Amino acid sequence: MSENLNKLKKLLAELFQLDQADLDFGIYRIMNAKRDEITRFLDNDLLPQIQEAFREYRSANKTSIQAELDQVIEQARGLAIDPDAIPKVKELREKFAQAVDVTALENEVYSHLYNFFRRYYSEGDFISLRRYKEGVYAIPYEGEEVKLHWANHDQYYIKTSENFRNYTFKLLSGKKVTFKIVDAETARDNIKAANGNERRFMLCSEAPLKEENEELFIRFVFEADPEKRKQAELNSRTLEKIREISGFNEWKTELFQPRPTEKNPNRTLLEKHLNDYTSRNTFDYFIHKNLGGFLRRELDFYIKNEVMHLDDIENETTPRVEQYLSKIKVIRKIAHKLIEFLAQLENFQKKLWLKRKFVVETNYCVTLDRVPEELYPEIAANEAQREEWVKLFAIDEIKGDLTGAKAYSEPLTVEFLKANPFLVIDTKHFAQKFKDRLLASFEDIEGKCDGVLLRSENYQGLNLINPTYQAQFNCIYIDPPFNSPSSEILYKNDYKHSSWLTLLADRIDLTKGLLSDGVYVVAIDENEQERIGLLFENTWIGSFKKVCVSIRHNPRGIQGKNFSHCHEYAYFLYPSDAKKYIGERNLEEPDTRNLRDSGIESDRSDAKNCFYPIIVRDNSIVAVGDVPSDDFHPSGVNESNPDGTISIWPIDTSGNEKKWRYARQSVEAILPKLQVRETRRKCEIYFAKDTGTVRTLWTEAQFDASEYGTKLLQDLFGTKDLDFSYPKSLYTLTETLRVTTKADKKQYILDYFSGSGTTGHATIYLNREDGGSRKYILVEMGEYFDTVLVPRIKKVVYSKDWKNGKPVSREGISHMFKYIRLESYEDTLNNLVLSRTETQQRLLEESFSFRESYMLSYMLDVEGRDSLLNIDVFEDPFNYKLNISTGIVGETKSTTVDLVETFNYLLGLTVHHIDHIRGFRVVQGTSPKGEKVLVIWRNLKEKSNDDLDEFFRRQEYNPKDMEFDLIYVNGDNNLENLRREDETWKVRLIEEDFKRLMFDVEDV
């Protein structure tokens, strides 16, 4: 086997991820299951086609002709005859000159295939690196005045921060081990000093092993390695160092238990998990949006620039040109098949990424004042709920009156619940029947729900809610990772800014239909402020007005070598029309100036259209007069009019005609800020409001993130040891929402990098302050969703002020919010099972053409179909299960999926009522098109079509004045037969639209 063929095979194993036999997660697990079959196909079916393509030249192969020529010459010399005098020698030499070196041709093809695919492939991803010539790259250009381009612009960023931050696995003893990245502050200087070298996971030099609460933490840094070693080499060094560390003997005994593989018979349990951990963070960052189209375009470019040499063709004979073109045809043929195979793999992953994810948990948090009192006895008896209230709200410190009737007790009493209407129940503590009764008590559940919290990777969360909230949000606020040295995402390679832009670009684009005549606000610091500004210009937001506000969030400053940074930025983006989108801010120093101008260039002659009367009646402004002619001169500051009003002119105390600070055409916009004052028996006009146009510099003390972010959160929870660091100041968000939303309207606010929940907190705070009805939707994937975000919202609902983790006033508000958890992309991969029918297997064995087509284009999609969505299981829709990660590597829990809630989002349904009636789950709502929709779910094993018909009749869903336009039911049914001729409602199967809506998702 030639060296070039070996190189190509090794590359193909890497391209198809067949060289990761030790990895048993995600797409690697799937490819490992198919590794032998794919390898056989490549070796036995695909690559031999290269040799087959040159078969016609075998008869004229230089190697065989040379052998025959050598034999004839040797025979001539044996007979003492001059070989040159023999006609046969001459004939063979002429034939050799025209012959084909088939082996060389094949090696050229192998070499070109290797060079082409290696050019665009790097560490698990295909990157756009089109070269005009050595060291000179090209970027696509479509005539833009300014082009923003980054390496990963045509890919989806799929890496989630959970992969970096948490990797926990269990030992046989049940004890947990966690790989942990140390605080980035520790490694910041080393990262900077590395001059752009690729970073690696290395064991922390300080306290690499720590034991806390019977859990072992193995601590790593993620930084550039000056020696530029491979991660595998560093992993080996890590294993050696851990063996050498003194102590931790019981842990090490279990960690170094054997876990052999065929490839690595000496592998240990620790080595297995270490390889998995570092691989999760160095592979699979991106999924290409159109890998097939990209590689086919690049192949044409490569062949024209690297393979075709037109100048040489002019000097070649016709047979040589034919051979040359044959080589090109073979390269194209085999490359196209490899591209088709690669595209199948990439498109399959894209399908899994874009697939809308199942809701795997839905719970509601409701203040007691909204809960029917008939449910109070069950709530009072619920120990889990009582324990949560003690932990969150310190209700055990509530003392009763003289009779003690309303004091805290164990168990709680109904009287105690009635006396504390703002205690927040969480339906996770209750059985499904309780939850059904509670939800059925709400007639307009969407209207009554004040907020929604989604635990999800934000792309997946946005993807799911998109149909429901099209054009619903008045403000979208995000505080994405700043990409600063101390808080950057731990990218695998040198594409730090490119990866960050890809992360932001797709998510911003996915929200383009969600904003409704509103404002997009993005918090950012100096590390990416310029790039994200260019990104806005490059997306749909480019048609918006863009204003960058500076906010002093850290008065003490972040010390640097040359500057101390004490501010960050907020981009405000809003439509470029004439409407006013940004409200007014409370001024730090209220404007109390006279409207009459003073100082230089304040005379009437300096601006003629600033001289006019303001008409006043009973010390109130009633009108504004017109600018008079130049030869008109008022008799004084005040002139009485026949109708009893007074005209006030901008004339100073010396009788000089001055001008107003605003021209006649613009003064009416500020009239609400003005008031009439009497001075020296004259009426004059003054500014007297404490609000003003939003300035682009916010310097007030309330924006200090340490004082009103970190410390505020510590007061809420009573500890500094929180799962979340560096929250925004509450008042930065409050002020942002104040100027971008209105109190007198139900307005939606979205934050899809919600962190600790400051945006939700600010929404509640602002509604408390001005009586508004703003609603929030927060998306967050971190572990602190459960430990910080949800408890924070519960706390701020229960009491407006907190100290040392205890409520100060217990002044709560009436509130309800929903929190849901989604299946993750990793869950989708881990639930994937490839299965093949006997008929498919027989055809694969019998037909080469079928086998090639199937392997190249259909295998993954066909064989993984049922595990992605098994419609047959809809027979019992209340028991559809997926294996969902528990957060411990390799450990999943069989979890019942909430098909009802998932389908509501797939339909984009605004839900009005949910009920469980005689075994049927019934949802009523409105579709995005305004259709009135009824969804009926049933267990087909328990509820037949006759039962459904009877239920339908008893509920009186079929009178002439039918209130629904569309009815959904799972399972074949007879509801269409119940419809009368004068009724227009339609019946559809849930299964059909569920599948269509889950997978028919457009690329962004």
Side-chain angles (χ1 to χ4, degrees):
M1 188 183 296
S2 73
E3 181 182 349
N4 286 345
L5 179 56
N6 273 329
K7 284 173 60 179
L8 177 60
K9 285 189 172 184
K10 185 176 180 181
L11 176 61
L12 292 179
E14 186 181 350
L15 294 180
F16 293 107
Q17 301 169 358
L18 305 175
D19 60 341
Q20 305 294 336
D22 290 346
L23 303 184
D24 57 1
F25 61 87
I27 197 66
Y28 302 106
R29 178 175 57 82
I30 303 303
M31 297 309 292
N32 282 335
K34 293 289 183 181
R35 183 173 65 253
D36 292 342
E37 185 176 14
I38 293 174
T39 300
R40 282 196 305 271
F41 173 74
L42 292 173
D43 289 350
N44 301 334
D45 290 348
L46 188 60
L47 294 181
Q49 293 180 35
I50 296 174
Q51 294 179 341
E52 183 69 21
F54 295 121
R55 173 183 288 182
E56 62 183 288
Y57 300 114
R58 288 288 172 189
S59 60
N61 190 341
K62 275 193 173 182
T63 304
S64 59
I65 295 173
Q66 183 66 58
E68 184 180 357
L69 177 60
D70 291 343
Q71 184 180 9
V72 173
I73 291 174
E74 186 177 351
Q75 290 173 348
R77 286 174 177 165
L79 297 172
I81 301 173
D82 181 4
D84 293 336
I86 298 177
K88 184 67 173 177
V89 171
K90 183 178 180 181
E91 176 189 343
L92 288 174
R93 282 177 173 166
E94 290 177 353
K95 192 174 180 180
F96 181 83
Q98 298 294 326
V100 181
D101 189 340
V102 175
T103 301
L105 271 178
E106 291 173 1
N107 279 326
E108 278 191 70
V109 172
Y110 298 142
S111 179
H112 278 301
L113 290 172
Y114 175 86
N115 290 337
F116 170 72
F117 286 106
R118 171 53 69 196
R119 168 173 294 186
Y120 296 101
Y121 184 80
S122 173
E123 297 185 330
D125 297 307
F126 287 92
I127 308 293
S128 299
L129 293 173
R130 173 178 287 184
R131 281 180 247 187
Y132 279 143
K133 57 184 180 180
E134 186 66 29
V136 179
Y137 295 90
I139 65 171
Y141 178 71
E142 298 177 4
E144 301 91 343
E145 180 183 2
V146 177
K147 176 73 174 181
L148 173 65
H149 185 84
W150 61 98
N152 308 105
H153 74 285
D154 50 4
Q155 297 171 315
Y156 290 107
Y157 179 89
I158 65 168
K159 181 62 69 178
T160 60
S161 62
E162 280 190 334
N163 288 339
F164 281 122
R165 301 298 181 185
N166 303 299
Y167 186 99
T168 302
F169 61 95
K170 278 185 179 178
L171 302 174
L172 289 177
S173 63
K175 290 183 178 181
K176 290 193 294 186
V177 178
T178 296
F179 295 151
K180 186 179 181 65
I181 296 289
V182 299
D183 194 300
E185 289 285 343
T186 306
R188 183 195 304 174
D189 293 336
N190 291 333
I191 291 174
K192 285 183 175 179
N195 296 323
N197 293 336
E198 290 187 7
R199 289 175 292 166
R200 305 293 186 205
F201 290 89
M202 294 179 280
L203 198 63
C204 186
S205 58
E206 297 180 11
L209 302 185
K210 290 183 71 174
E211 184 178 0
E212 296 178 5
N213 300 321
E214 296 188 349
E215 181 175 354
L216 181 68
F217 291 88
I218 303 180
R219 303 168 73 237
F220 292 86
V221 293
F222 184 67
E223 58 187 34
D225 177 27
E227 299 179 37
K228 299 184 178 181
R229 292 168 289 186
K230 296 291 185 183
Q231 186 65 59
E233 182 181 350
L234 290 168
N235 286 355
S236 298
R237 182 66 185 127
T238 293
L239 294 170
E240 293 174 11
K241 286 183 178 179
I242 291 176
R243 283 186 186 276
E244 295 167 359
I245 293 172
S246 61
F248 303 96
N249 292 330
E250 290 185 11
W251 290 100
K252 287 194 284 187
T253 298
E254 289 200 73
L255 287 171
F256 288 101
Q257 287 289 317
R259 287 294 184 275
T261 66
E262 182 179 342
K263 183 179 178 181
N264 185 1
N266 297 318
R267 189 182 71 163
T268 63
L269 177 65
L270 177 58
E271 182 180 358
K272 172 205 175 321
H273 284 292
L274 182 59
N275 289 340
D276 274 3
Y277 175 58
T278 54
S279 297
R280 283 174 185 262
N281 294 291
T282 51
F283 300 155
D284 282 346
Y285 274 72
F286 302 96
I287 297 174
H288 207 286
K289 295 177 181 178
N290 182 12
L291 182 62
F294 164 70
L295 286 178
R296 281 187 284 269
R297 288 192 304 271
E298 295 304 310
L299 177 65
D300 288 344
F301 186 86
Y302 176 86
I303 288 175
K304 291 173 185 176
N305 288 273
E306 306 286 336
V307 182
M308 294 178 67
H309 302 289
L310 298 180
D311 291 342
D312 297 339
I313 289 180
E314 296 177 358
N315 301 317
E316 294 287 359
T317 63
T318 299
R320 296 277 295 180
V321 171
E322 289 177 356
Q323 297 163 23
Y324 168 77
L325 293 177
S326 295
K327 179 179 68 174
I328 292 175
K329 287 168 67 176
V330 172
I331 292 172
R332 281 177 57 87
K333 176 183 177 182
I334 302 302
H336 274 288
K337 290 184 178 182
L338 289 173
I339 289 170
E340 190 174 356
F341 206 165
L342 288 167
Q344 178 195 178
L345 175 59
E346 200 80 358
N347 289 341
F348 185 66
Q349 293 182 77
K350 185 177 77 170
K351 177 180 179 178
L352 303 188
W353 175 252
L354 293 179
K355 176 188 84 72
R356 291 196 167 100
K357 302 301 182 281
F358 287 105
V359 175
V360 297
E361 177 187 359
T362 307
N363 279 298
Y364 288 81
C365 295
V366 190
T367 50
L368 285 174
D369 66 312
R370 300 191 183 191
V371 178
E373 288 191 5
E374 59 263 28
L375 297 178
Y376 279 24
E378 190 171 345
I379 297 171
N382 190 299
E383 276 296 289
Q385 184 64 83
R386 181 193 63 77
E387 290 174 0
E388 181 184 272
W389 285 345
V390 170
K391 179 182 178 181
L392 292 183
F393 306 146
I395 63 169
D396 53 335
E397 298 181 7
I398 296 178
K399 308 302 180 184
D401 56 21
L402 293 177
T403 66
K406 298 176 183 177
Y408 170 80
S409 63
E410 298 181 22
L412 298 174
T413 65
V414 170
E415 289 74 20
F416 180 82
L417 300 187
K418 291 180 179 179
N420 293 274
F422 302 122
L423 285 172
V424 183
I425 71 161
D426 188 334
T427 58
K428 75 176 181 180
H429 300 305
F430 297 85
Q432 184 63 44
K433 287 185 179 180
F434 174 93
K435 187 174 176 180
D436 291 339
R437 291 163 62 198
L438 174 64
L439 295 181
S441 69
F442 297 108
E443 282 307 317
D444 180 15
I445 196 165
E446 176 70 29
K448 298 288 175 58
C449 195
D450 300 292
V452 180
L453 278 53
L454 290 92
R455 182 169 181 182
S456 167
E457 194 281 332
N458 50 20
Y459 188 94
Q460 305 301 338
L462 292 170
N463 202 19
L464 183 71
I465 70 172
N466 229 292
T468 304
Y469 293 102
Q470 280 290 303
Q472 292 291 309
F473 292 100
N474 308 94
C475 176
I476 298 178
Y477 173 91
I478 58 171
D479 180 14
F482 280 1
N483 222 13
S484 59
S486 61
S487 63
E488 64 190 8
I489 296 176
L490 306 182
Y491 304 117
K492 69 171 182 179
N493 55 27
D494 291 334
Y495 297 117
K496 170 182 168 181
H497 300 295
S498 175
S499 300
W500 187 87
L501 282 169
T502 299
L503 168 73
L504 266 292
D506 285 342
R507 285 148 184 81
I508 289 173
D509 207 41
L510 195 57
T511 56
K512 65 184 178 183
L514 297 178
L515 199 62
S516 171
D517 204 24
V519 184
Y520 215 116
V521 185
V522 182
I524 199 65
D525 73 353
E526 73 281 355
N527 290 284
E528 297 290 0
Q529 181 256 343
E530 292 177 346
R531 290 180 188 86
I532 200 169
L534 290 172
L535 178 63
F536 294 142
E537 300 289 342
N538 204 53
T539 64
W540 59 276
I541 288 183
S543 60
F544 277 37
K545 177 72 174 176
K546 179 180 67 177
V547 175
C548 191
V549 172
S550 297
I551 304 173
R552 190 177 65 168
H553 75 299
N554 185 356
R556 292 157 295 283
I558 299 173
Q559 297 302 316
K561 189 171 293 184
N562 296 298
F563 289 95
S564 176
H565 292 278
C566 60
H567 74 284
E568 59 187 22
Y569 304 94
Y571 273 108
F572 285 72
L573 302 109
Y574 50 91
S576 303
D577 54 35
K579 291 176 62 176
K580 184 172 176 61
Y581 290 92
I582 306 297
E584 296 189 336
R585 282 198 61 212
N586 292 328
L587 299 177
E588 187 175 12
E589 297 179 2
D591 190 349
T592 58
R593 297 171 299 164
N594 195 311
L595 184 63
R596 184 183 67 244
D597 206 352
S598 59
I600 300 173
E601 296 184 349
S602 62
D603 293 335
R604 174 181 180 177
S605 58
D606 292 322
K608 295 179 181 180
N609 62 344
C610 291
F611 188 81
Y612 48 85
I614 294 178
I615 314 302
V616 172
R617 184 195 298 275
D618 298 330
N619 286 337
S620 295
I621 299 172
V622 296
V624 179
D626 295 327
V627 175
S629 61
D630 293 346
D631 59 0
F632 174 80
H633 301 283
S635 59
V637 176
N638 296 164
E639 284 188 336
S640 297
N641 300 317
D643 61 357
T645 60
I646 297 173
S647 293
I648 301 177
W649 295 90
I651 298 176
D652 65 16
T653 54
S654 300
N656 299 314
E657 292 182 349
K658 310 296 282 185
K659 68 179 182 66
W660 298 119
R661 297 178 187 272
Y662 283 76
R664 175 62 185 85
Q665 64 268 25
S666 58
V667 69
E668 290 183 354
I670 65 158
L671 289 181
K673 300 181 182 182
L674 305 177
Q675 73 173 201
V676 181
R677 291 187 192 175
E678 284 194 29
T679 60
R680 298 179 183 177
R681 299 181 182 179
K682 293 184 177 66
C683 291
E684 298 206 51
I685 307 297
Y686 279 81
F687 289 95
K689 301 295 181 182
D690 59 358
T691 61
T693 302
V694 176
R695 296 175 182 174
T696 56
L697 181 62
W698 296 8
T699 59
E700 292 92 323
Q702 63 180 334
F703 304 129
D704 184 341
S706 175
E707 190 68 29
Y708 300 105
T710 302
K711 289 183 180 178
L712 183 146
L713 205 57
Q714 290 170 357
D715 271 335
L716 264 174
F717 288 91
T719 178
K720 294 182 178 180
D721 186 21
L722 291 169
D723 292 335
F724 189 87
S725 303
Y726 314 120
K728 280 280 188 293
S729 164
L730 171 65
Y731 304 106
T732 299
L733 268 298
T734 302
E735 204 63 23
T736 298
L737 299 183
R738 190 195 313 277
V739 302
T740 56
T741 61
K742 298 177 181 178
D744 59 346
K745 294 183 179 180
K746 182 182 76 175
Q747 300 203 317
Y748 283 89
I749 297 158
L750 171 65
D751 182 349
Y752 54 90
F753 284 97
S754 60
S756 68
T758 307
T759 301
H761 188 166
T763 304
I764 295 168
Y765 179 96
L766 196 54
N767 284 341
R768 257 196 181 108
E769 180 184 274
D770 61 17
S773 55
R774 305 169 185 84
K775 297 175 181 287
Y776 54 87
I777 295 183
L778 311 180
V779 185
E780 178 54 56
M781 66 162 295
E783 292 289 337
Y784 41 80
F785 181 93
D786 295 315
T787 59
V788 178
L789 197 161
V790 174
R792 179 179 189 174
I793 300 301
K794 292 177 179 177
K795 280 174 169 283
V796 299
V797 165
Y798 178 69
S799 176
K800 70 175 184 178
D801 40 16
W802 293 77
K803 188 71 176 177
N804 297 324
K806 305 288 182 69
V808 175
S809 66
R810 300 189 191 272
E811 292 182 28
I813 59 170
S814 180
H815 200 80
M816 177 169 74
F817 69 90
K818 174 175 67 174
Y819 66 92
I820 66 178
R821 183 159 64 106
L822 301 190
E823 165 200 20
S824 70
Y825 173 66
E826 287 78 11
D827 288 330
T828 303
L829 285 168
N830 290 331
N831 279 279
L832 189 64
V833 177
L834 300 183
S835 58
R836 183 180 294 168
T837 66
E838 292 182 3
T839 301
Q840 289 168 345
Q841 184 61 40
R842 178 171 51 79
L843 287 172
L844 287 173
E845 294 171 356
E846 294 176 355
S847 170
F848 169 78
S849 61
F850 176 80
R851 181 166 65 249
E852 181 176 79
S853 178
Y854 183 83
M855 293 291 292
L856 293 179
S857 304
Y858 306 114
M859 178 180 65
L860 295 177
D861 203 29
V862 169
E863 297 184 15
R865 185 178 297 156
D866 286 344
S867 61
L868 293 178
L869 178 64
N870 189 351
I871 297 298
D872 294 338
V873 182
F874 278 43
E875 183 181 40
D876 180 6
F878 310 121
N879 199 35
Y880 191 110
K881 294 183 181 295
L882 289 177
N883 292 318
I884 301 299
S885 173
T886 64
I888 297 174
V889 173
E891 182 176 281
T892 60
K893 179 181 179 182
S894 181
T895 303
T896 302
V897 171
D898 192 339
L899 291 182
V900 176
E901 186 76 8
T902 305
F903 192 53
N904 291 342
Y905 279 108
L906 293 179
L907 290 176
L909 206 62
T910 299
V911 177
H912 302 310
H913 191 70
I914 303 176
D915 209 343
H916 196 87
I917 308 170
R918 298 189 299 279
F920 292 90
R921 182 69 55 83
V922 180
V923 180
Q924 299 178 34
T926 306
S927 77
K929 296 179 180 179
E931 300 163 311
K932 294 181 180 179
V933 179
L934 175 68
V935 186
I936 303 174
W937 293 86
R938 55 181 171 153
N939 184 337
L940 294 174
K941 298 175 184 177
E942 299 174 356
K943 297 296 179 182
S944 67
N945 283 342
D946 290 340
D947 295 327
L948 175 63
D949 294 348
E950 178 61 23
F951 169 79
F952 202 77
R953 292 189 188 95
R954 290 182 62 181
Q955 291 300 119
E956 297 183 342
Y957 286 145
N958 61 339
K960 182 177 181 179
D961 57 345
M962 181 68 182
E963 57 179 312
F964 299 107
D965 303 304
L966 189 58
I967 299 173
Y968 282 97
V969 185
N970 65 307
D972 292 329
N973 58 83
N974 305 317
L975 292 188
E976 281 283 8
N977 299 331
L978 301 180
R979 187 176 63 185
R980 299 194 304 240
E981 291 182 2
D982 57 347
E983 292 171 336
T984 59
W985 45 273
K986 301 176 182 177
V987 178
R988 301 188 64 143
L989 290 180
I990 287 174
E991 292 88 335
E992 291 179 356
D993 276 17
F994 201 111
K995 184 175 183 179
R996 176 180 60 83
L997 294 168
M998 179 161 269
F999 289 100
D1000 288 356
V1001 184
E1002 294 182 3
D1003 289 352
V1004 299

